Amino acid sequence: MFFLTCLTRKGGIRRATRADFIHNGGFHEAVGPLLVIAQCFCLMPVRGILAATPKGLSFRWKCFRTWYCILYILATIADTGLTINMVVKGVLDVRNIEPLIFHANILLASFGFLRLAAKWPQLMRKWQRVERQLPPHQSWRDREALSVRVHKVMPESYWTRTRLQYRLICELIEQVDASISGLTMLSFANNLYFVCIQLLKSMNTMPSVAHFVYFYASLSFLLGRTLAVSLYLSEVNDRSRKPLRIIKLIPKEGYHPEVDRLCHEIGMDTIALTGLQYFNVTRGLVLTVAGTIVTYELVLIQFHEDQNLWNCN
């Protein structure tokens, strides 16, 4: 058996206690370690990310984390400027413009996360207020109890409370989308651009086996990342539609006007994260992106075959 230790506020080391392993199940607590990693890469300069509650969160311009982030942004701006100078002086083609797109993407992402950091404390406090008004699920038995209640007959007050909880979650999603929609748009644009660039390079002959392995490994990573981002974000829309399946199981005796109102709200509202309000991230978008990539590849293959026929003649 081994013993775990942890750091105290005074910088010393103490033995971990039971309280260190008890979690409240909140999003703020869950995302804290991830934000620690983000701050190592000059992102999300928020104070108090490992605090017990979102009340400990704060964003200040006069803070080492913020200065560290701003210094990185200034260095990225200088690097992007040098890249622009290289592109202007060289031949304007796909190979020369690719580093410019890469550096511009990093710069825009840095600005986006800095803007998100300023909104993060208020957003997490809103998130916690919503979590406190939702029914707690301590175990799988509590999660199963919902389906049981929907079937034995529930009073109208139960469905009124459920509809208000659903509306709170919808408002939270709208606030989250307003904070991250720019980053969502940037992520999709970046993934689609570099997938198309890699497909364009696939028309070239690989000089060695190492080049072949590296190229298709990087292409698989890009395709997998694009698919993962699309599917994870589309889960928001998928989960918003699931209550309709449960409502269909309500017996006739338990069908109240509040149930009909809830059903109407779920059916009419489009709850999904967006890319600057230009598109909703749903499972249908995954097929649209995949169709765009396949169409692009077919055009490249057709163009490549036409070039080969022309060279043969």
Side-chain angles (χ1 to χ4, degrees), residues 78-103:
D79 194 13
T80 305
L82 294 175
T83 306
I84 294 174
N85 182 64
M86 179 189 70
V87 172
V88 171
K89 291 185 177 180
V91 179
L92 189 62
D93 58 13
V94 175
R95 289 176 298 179
N96 287 340
I97 202 174
E98 183 179 350
L100 177 59
I101 299 297
F102 179 77
H103 286 85

Side-chain angles (χ1 to χ4, degrees), residues 150-199:
V150 168
H151 281 76
K152 294 173 185 177
V153 174
M154 300 302 296
E156 190 171 6
S157 59
Y158 170 80
W159 293 110
T160 301
R161 185 171 63 254
T162 301
R163 186 180 60 81
L164 293 177
Q165 291 170 348
Y166 172 79
R167 183 49 52 193
L168 284 174
I169 296 175
C170 292
E171 292 175 357
L172 177 62
I173 292 174
E174 290 176 359
Q175 188 170 349
V176 171
D177 182 64
S179 302
I180 69 169
S181 60
L183 291 171
T184 304
M185 178 66 142
L186 185 63
S187 175
F188 273 90
N190 175 69
N191 288 335
L192 191 58
Y193 172 80
F194 282 102
V195 166
C196 292
I197 289 296
Q198 289 293 87
L199 291 177

Side-chain angles (χ1 to χ4, degrees), residues 107-295:
L107 183 60
L108 292 175
S110 300
F111 277 117
F113 279 107
L114 182 61
R115 175 175 172 268
L116 178 60
K119 299 181 178 181
W120 192 256
Q122 181 181 1
L123 181 62
M124 286 298 98
R125 293 184 186 110
K126 168 70 174 178
W127 197 303
Q128 187 186 53
R129 288 195 298 269
V130 173
E131 286 179 334
R132 287 177 175 176
Q133 298 184 61
L134 298 179
H137 297 307
Q138 302 294 338
S139 65
W140 66 270
R141 293 184 181 275
D142 292 338
R143 293 191 293 270
E144 185 184 40
L146 175 62
S147 60
V148 176
R149 289 197 299 268
V150 168
H151 281 76
K152 294 173 185 177
V153 174
M154 300 302 296
E156 190 171 6
S157 59
Y158 170 80
W159 293 110
T160 301
R161 185 171 63 254
T162 301
R163 186 180 60 81
L164 293 177
Q165 291 170 348
Y166 172 79
R167 183 49 52 193
L168 284 174
I169 296 175
C170 292
E171 292 175 357
L172 177 62
I173 292 174
E174 290 176 359
Q175 188 170 349
V176 171
D177 182 64
S179 302
I180 69 169
S181 60
L183 291 171
T184 304
M185 178 66 142
L186 185 63
S187 175
F188 273 90
N190 175 69
N191 288 335
L192 191 58
Y193 172 80
F194 282 102
V195 166
C196 292
I197 289 296
Q198 289 293 87
L199 291 177
L200 179 62
K201 292 180 179 179
S202 67
M203 298 292 103
N204 300 330
T205 303
M206 301 296 167
S208 65
V209 177
H211 285 82
F212 178 87
V213 173
Y214 172 78
F215 174 80
Y216 282 100
S218 62
L219 178 60
S220 300
F221 171 76
L222 283 172
L223 292 173
R225 183 177 68 179
T226 304
L227 182 62
V229 170
S230 302
L231 291 179
Y232 276 117
L233 293 185
S234 66
E235 275 289 304
V236 175
N237 180 257
D238 293 342
R239 295 299 178 92
S240 71
R241 311 292 297 180
K242 282 189 175 181
L244 286 175
R245 304 176 187 174
I246 300 177
I247 291 177
K248 292 178 180 179
L249 302 176
I250 299 175
K252 183 176 65 175
E253 302 82 30
Y255 203 88
H256 302 285
E258 279 294 330
V259 178
D260 186 62
R261 188 176 178 183
L262 175 61
C263 186
H264 177 76
E265 290 185 8
I266 297 175
M268 295 300 295
D269 293 346
T270 302
I271 306 301
L273 297 177
T274 68
L276 288 178
Q277 303 296 325
Y278 286 108
F279 58 87
N280 296 324
V281 184
T282 62
R283 286 190 178 268
L285 182 67
V286 179
L287 293 178
T288 302
V289 173
T292 302
I293 294 174
V294 171
T295 302

Side-chain angles (χ1 to χ4, degrees), residues 23 26-40 48-51:
H23 303 285
F27 178 76
H28 162 71
E29 181 188 54
V31 81
L34 183 62
L35 294 182
V36 172
I37 300 176
Q39 290 188 355
C40 294
I49 53 177
L50 295 179

